[in-house]
Every structure is written in structure tokens, then in C-alpha cells.
Amino acid sequence: MPRHRSLVRDRASSIAGEIALPLGSWYVAAKHALEALSDRLRMEVGQFGINVVIIQPGIIRTEFGATSAEQLRDFSGDGAYRDMANTMANRVEIGSGPDQEGSGGEVVAEAIRRAIEADLPDTRYAVGPMAEHMLRLGRTLPDRAFDEMVLGAVR
């Protein structure tokens, strides 16, 4: 059998591919689609010794946080979702600022390196603060309990 090769896609997924947070449906849908595509692709190309790996970053310090917070306020800050949008925007800014709880991009790069160098890489690498914890909660809590937990944080 040939040595396995790793296929690293040009886009990382996100923990949002598995767990949904409010007011980001477009982002969650795109990441969920990437997760499903990668899972099916892994099944299809595995017979050729190719591994498809999903990198699932949690909170990473990038411009994404500031941009997301600004867009939340621009699109939802004055309507029916005003309170939730502003609370979410504040939390995004706190979690992704340069001196905050988010990780640097090097944790993503390190996960990619580990996947490439592994003889048989894991199918998923959750990286960054709270990533594995949030995924575990999303996988084990009943849907409504998870929803309540998330909504309680943005009320």
C-alpha cells in the first residue's frame, strides 16, 4: 500500500462548521458546507492514499474579529436583533483583539504542519482557545440545551 499523502485545502474550516452561533448564518453555512465536502472527499480519494484533513480554528486573532463586529453593528445593530448584535459584536472584539484570548495564526500553521507530517493524520484538528471544548459541547449537549447556553452568553 502506498504511503498516505495529505491533501491540505486552501481554506481552513472553523468550529462554526459544526456549531452555530447566532447572526452568522452565512458564515456557518459556508463552513458547514466545507466540512461536508471534505468528509465526502476524504471517502472518495482515500483509496488513492490521499488524506483530507479539516482544520477547525476557534478564536484566532485576525482582522476577522474587527470586521465581524463592524458588520454585525452595520447590518443588525439597529433592527430587531440590535441587542444581540451589539452583545455579539462586543464579545467578538474582546475575544479576537491583539491582546485577548484568541490564538495567533501560528496554531493553525502548526496544525497544518502536523497533518502534513503525519503518516496517518487525524481527520480533524481543532485549534485555538475553547475550540475542542465548544465542539465537545456541541456534539454532546442536546440541541436546545446548547442553544440556551449560547443565547445566554449573548443576552
Side-chain angles (χ1 to χ4, degrees), residues 12-26:
S13 184
S14 167
I15 61 171
E18 284 192 53
I19 60 169
L21 300 178
L23 304 179
S25 299
W26 60 272

Side-chain angles (χ1 to χ4, degrees), residues 9-14 17 28-41 52 54-55 124:
R9 302 198 42 114
D10 63 347
R11 301 256 186 231
S13 184
S14 167
V28 170
K31 295 305 181 179
H32 189 71
L34 183 58
E35 295 266 336
L37 173 67
S38 297
D39 286 340
R40 298 309 71 89
L41 187 59
V52 177
I54 300 169
I55 308 296
R124 286 177 167 70

Side-chain angles (χ1 to χ4, degrees), residues 38 69 92 155:
S38 297
V92 167
R155 286 191 183 123

Side-chain angles (χ1 to χ4, degrees), residues 59-62 92-104 129:
I59 300 169
I60 306 296
R61 289 186 310 268
T62 66
V92 167
E93 288 170 338
I94 289 168
S96 60
D99 297 321
Q100 303 304 325
E101 64 191 45
S103 295

